[in-house]
DNA sequence: TCAAAAGTGTTCTCCCTACACCCATGG
DNA sequence: CCATGGGTGTAGGGAGAACACTTTTGA
């Protein structure tokens, strides 16, 4: 029998963090999943996550898991919901604090744990372990809400990007189409983009301007009561 | 020495729910606080809350606490954040899942536990126990976000209300002023209000129309992709 | 020469804003 | 008769939707 060293007067639940990691490949949202090697749900895909340590906050725990899975540090993460159904884990009572992360696919060492981690397009995500299907829907819903008012989309793009890339991102996340000209005008009017001197040839047809997100400028506008809306 | 019956191989945090209960008194937002009777923070005010049971979800736990404190069942509650700083409770590691509730002050039995529970105007809230100052700010921020797109304000008003009451509510929550005429027009154009045949005399000056929130109508519009925005 | 991609300009419409006006009541 | 509060109408401006025009390249 295994040793149980930690005793309490009342029963305590286990607490984990799970991290829904989003990436963008210039046309579609993707999500990073890991294949479970043990029961329950052995062989099924799930979000990276794990038990929280007693001396770290949930956010620190989520960032730790993120680093372990992708090698990334300092990524954008946001807590979006705690899932607490008493039977969501068949073994014992586990409450999970769920985060989503926005990362640049290019920067992810997709191979640290390559045998077990894999990017999935959103419409190719299989049935997941535990209640992770539910968690994914909630993460997506929150991301869609957030991007209406916060410039978080840039976390998914390279440092320098074209207007078309940015438009593709918004269209993919919100599942809508925008008029090319109107999208560009609206974005530029916000005054949160820096137009770079460089250009690229995204297709062999014509060169395109490159932009970068000007975070300092955004913070300044936000302080003045400016409300970004898309 | 007290008996400790529940043992685990690894340390487990305690998990509580806390509930920020908002009410509205026709001019200002209020919040229901309880005075702590025991250490730590004895004598300081805090949100109602308590440990989660092993066979209930966090939402069920929050609703249970709400009923114990106000006698209300079926109130509108929404989970908004989990607070997990390792030292937020000086005694032991406690993670709290925080909810806010919107209730009608008129319906609250303010006296179930009257010696300990009291309504506070937002600008008269004293320094609170634990990290509850932080929790209050987060609850307010979330409420303000939410009310821009969801018709949750009605949860704070009586069944029947005047346009001025509704405007006061929005102005109090968002801390802005609206033009009387424009507010009314915008609200009515949403088609989510039922104008009742009844009227009232809110002041001795003139009678005013009464309205009620038409939830069925709102659900129908929402399904059609309608997006409420204020 | 044509299709595709990128940049830019134009028009129309709708909604928000601001403000004005009317009416009813109590003092 | 006037101040107050509630209901309604109207002119102007700004932003978004739709679409057109231009340029540059490779096929």
């Amino acid at each position: 029998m295994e040793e149980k060293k930690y005793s309490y007067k009342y029963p305590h639940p286990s607490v984990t963090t799970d991290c829904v990691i989003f990436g963008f490949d210039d046309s579609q949202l993707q999500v990073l999943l890991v294949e479970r090697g043990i029961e329950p749900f052995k062989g099924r895909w799930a979000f990276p996550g794990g038990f929280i340590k007693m001396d770290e906050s949930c956010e620190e725990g989520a960032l730790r898991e993120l680093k372990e899975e992708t090698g990334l540090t300092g990524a954008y993460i946001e807590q979006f919901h705690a899932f607490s159904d008493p039977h969501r884990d068949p073994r014992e009572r586990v409450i999970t604090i769920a985060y989503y992360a926005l990362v640049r696919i290019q920067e992810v060492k997709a191979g640290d744990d390559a045998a077990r981690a894999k990017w999935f397009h959103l419409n190719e995500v299989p049935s997941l372990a535990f209640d992770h299907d539910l968690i994914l829907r909630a993460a997506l819903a929150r991301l869609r809400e957030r991007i209406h008012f916060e410039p978080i989309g840039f976390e998914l793009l390279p440092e320098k990007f074209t207007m078309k890339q940015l438009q593709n991102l918004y269209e993919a996340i919100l599942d809508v189409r925008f008029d090319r000209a109107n999208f560009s005008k609206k974005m530029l009017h916000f005054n949160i983009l820096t137009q770079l001197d460089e250009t690229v040839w995204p297709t062999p047809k014509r060169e395109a301007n490159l932009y970068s997100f000007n975070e300092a400028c955004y913070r300044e506008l936000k302080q003045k009561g400016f409300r970004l809306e898309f």
Side-chain angles (χ1 to χ4, degrees), chain A:
Chain A
M1 182 180 170
E2 61 182 328
E3 193 184 2
K4 295 184 175 182
K5 293 190 291 187
Y6 300 93
S7 300
Y8 306 94
K9 194 176 176 186
Y10 299 102
H12 282 41
S14 288
V15 178
T16 61
T17 63
D18 282 303
C19 200
V20 183
I21 305 173
F22 288 115
F24 185 66
D25 71 348
D26 257 25
S27 74
Q28 280 188 73
L29 260 188
Q30 303 194 46
V31 61
L32 188 68
L33 299 173
V34 296
E35 192 174 5
R36 285 182 60 80
I38 58 167
E39 294 292 350
F41 299 103
K42 184 173 178 178
R44 296 271 282 279
W45 296 85
F47 301 117
F51 293 99
I52 195 174
K53 299 183 192 286
M54 292 301 270
D55 59 352
E56 69 183 1
S57 68
C58 287
E59 177 152 336
E60 287 163 350
L63 285 170
R64 177 174 51 77
E65 302 283 350
L66 185 64
K67 185 178 178 187
E68 290 170 12
E69 286 298 330
T70 67
L72 282 177
T73 59
Y76 176 90
I77 68 168
E78 187 193 343
Q79 181 192 310
F80 66 93
H81 201 74
F83 294 85
S84 60
D85 183 290
H87 306 106
R88 58 176 294 282
D89 188 313
R91 293 165 298 184
E92 56 168 344
R93 179 75 199 269
V94 180
I95 293 172
T96 196
I97 318 285
Y99 287 76
Y100 70 84
L102 303 183
V103 306
R104 301 178 227 278
I105 284 185
Q106 315 88 351
E107 295 179 11
V108 173
K109 304 200 196 312
D112 270 28
D113 212 342
R116 293 178 54 235
K118 191 180 155 207
W119 286 102
F120 286 81
H121 283 111
L122 268 190
N123 48 16
E124 294 166 353
V125 173
S127 174
L128 302 176
F130 302 105
D131 55 353
H132 286 199
D133 293 320
L134 174 65
I135 292 178
L136 176 56
R137 282 197 299 276
L140 255 179
R142 175 62 65 90
L143 172 59
R144 288 190 176 128
E145 275 180 29
R146 269 285 177 234
I147 205 169
H148 274 114
F149 296 100
E150 299 287 331
I152 56 177
F154 304 105
E155 305 288 341
L156 291 162
L157 291 178
E159 195 69 28
K160 307 167 180 180
F161 50 84
T162 66
M163 193 58 80
K164 181 154 189 61
Q165 283 180 294
L166 188 57
Q167 182 176 347
N168 284 344
L169 176 69
Y170 273 81
E171 292 184 340
I173 293 179
L174 298 175
D175 194 27
V176 292
R177 304 293 143 226
F178 294 110
D179 179 274
R180 195 170 48 90
N182 296 332
F183 180 89
S184 173
K185 265 180 291 187
K186 186 168 178 180
M187 264 300 165
L188 292 175
H189 276 131
F190 286 145
N191 264 66
I192 57 173
L193 295 184
T194 304
Q195 178 167 351
L196 305 175
D197 291 334
E198 311 167 58
T199 55
V200 282
W201 292 85
T203 68
K205 292 299 182 185
R206 180 153 174 204
E207 66 181 337
N209 294 333
L210 275 176
Y211 300 88
S212 70
F213 174 51
N214 190 331
E215 188 167 351
C217 203
Y218 170 68
R219 286 187 194 284
E220 196 179 329
L221 284 170
K222 192 176 182 179
Q223 262 195 336
K224 291 178 184 169
F226 161 81
R227 193 164 132 234
L228 175 68
E229 176 171 350
F230 225 97

